[in-house]
Amino acid sequence: MASKKLQQFLQTNLEDLAQRGLLTTIDVIDGGNGPEITIDGKKLINMASNNYLGFAGRQDMIEAEINAAQTYGVGAGAVRTINGTLAVHRELEQKIAEFKGTEDAIAFQSGFNCNMGAISAVMKKGDAILSDELNHASIIDGCRLSGAKIIRVKHQDMTDLEAKAKEAVDSGLYDKIMYITDGVFSMDGDVAHIPEIVAIAERYNLITYVDDAHGSGVMGKGAGTVKHFGMQDKIDFQMGTLSKAIGVVGGYVAGSKELIAWMKSQARPFLFSTSLTPGAAAASIKAIELMQEHPEYVQQLWEKADYFKTELKKIGYDIGVSETPITPVIVGDENLAQTFSKKLIENGVYAKPIVFPTVPLGTGRVRNMPTAGHSKEMLDRAVAVYEKVGKDLGIIH
Ligand SMILES: *Cc1c(COP(=O)(O)O)cnc(C)c1O
């Protein structure tokens, strides 16, 4: 017999969510993810994936996954520390470290649980974390889990960072102090000011943590935002995901030998959750090799993105301050953003609305992720749809 209390809770709150338009609806894609997808039998240009390099559906990636499954099986069989560490897991970590320019790396099962595990492995009660106010949800949750004091820093505001770092140091209240930031901010596409961050961190003795989920495979010839600035020996934690440009699933931290050794004995998702599948590890290695051997893939991503952004600007859209392929089309009003997305999808472009609380109130938008896999013809078709729908809704003239 189901709990009455639970049923009451669910019924009341589901209705409330639905009334406020916040109930998640989830579309099922027929077939795989790619530059074009089919939903309910309708083919759409997909501007909503993080599959930046089109790696998720590549034949050689699929083969790497299948070969690993044939060698190692479909599952690792245990957590890494018990007996779930296979040769392919160590190979992946060594490959990540080589690519990122660090001494070592540790792989997790996802970017989200990597942030859960890595932040709390090092930061504790009695410490403080300075955190950019627009950081990803997994950073926020990881910080909360750590028990450290969380101090919000205004978005990308280096004066505010310095003032709050000074205040935290001068207070004498904290043992360790960390600054944590996205490398590339996923909703606006702006890039963390790594050189300034490093300078402030050196002045105030801060630990530095860059979550480069949207920078890996995109910035620094694929090696990420930190390497883009040549600061791989200055940032303590280069965190990233294997799920976006890499095209697979998993998360990691690249850093010093000591940091990785500490996390391998302290990070709870590493210790208490079964390791990445061998196939995912092998496909991720393949993805890094592809980026190392074929710099043109990352270059194609940037060319496609630059083209798409230029065309949207030309027809009169506000695409914000993005410095990366992430292309928000900002319309302001939350309801308008919802309608805009709905009409785009009806007309063949799959682009999703992003509204408060994911972004500040009054900055509702539809977000686009052009990828290396989009042809120029697909992007032209998408721009034509943007022009028609934007004019119909009075967003552009
Ligand atoms: C997507 C994302 C994550 C989570 O990564 P997953 O591997 O999908 O769990 C973490 N941080 C940031 C900034 C992200 O954009």
Side-chain angles (χ1 to χ4, degrees), residues 110-112 115 136 138 182 186 211 213-214 239 241-244 250:
S110 82
F112 201 108
N115 277 335
H136 189 260
S138 58
D182 280 23
S186 54
D211 173 341
H214 283 278
M239 177 269 165
T241 174
L242 302 169
S243 69
K244 294 189 170 123

Side-chain angles (χ1 to χ4, degrees), residues 127-146:
D127 295 331
I129 305 176
L130 300 158
S131 176
D132 186 285
E133 64 187 348
L134 295 189
N135 276 342
H136 189 260
S138 58
I139 297 181
I140 296 168
D141 288 5
C143 291
R144 285 183 185 150
L145 187 63
S146 76

Side-chain angles (χ1 to χ4, degrees), residues 222-234:
T225 307
V226 173
K227 206 158 174 195
H228 168 80
F229 289 104
M231 301 216 138
Q232 52 274 23
D233 55 345
K234 306 274 189 187

Side-chain angles (χ1 to χ4, degrees), residues 203-264:
R203 272 202 290 287
Y204 296 95
N205 203 10
L206 309 178
I207 298 168
T208 47
Y209 189 121
V210 175
D211 173 341
D212 215 16
H214 283 278
S216 301
V218 177
M219 300 288 292
K221 299 190 168 76
T225 307
V226 173
K227 206 158 174 195
H228 168 80
F229 289 104
M231 301 216 138
Q232 52 274 23
D233 55 345
K234 306 274 189 187
I235 295 291
D236 297 303
F237 292 74
Q238 284 192 66
M239 177 269 165
T241 174
L242 302 169
S243 69
K244 294 189 170 123
I246 303 293
V248 193
V249 71
Y252 60 85
V253 173
S256 72
K257 266 203 318 267
E258 293 80 6
L259 176 66
I260 304 309
W262 176 253
M263 280 194 286
K264 284 190 169 173

Side-chain angles (χ1 to χ4, degrees), residues 96-122:
I96 292 170
E98 174 201 319
F99 195 40
K100 296 274 164 182
T102 59
E103 286 176 355
D104 205 353
I106 175 173
F108 289 83
Q109 305 86 342
S110 82
F112 201 108
N113 87 4
C114 177
N115 277 335
M116 296 285 111
I119 300 168
S120 60
V122 169

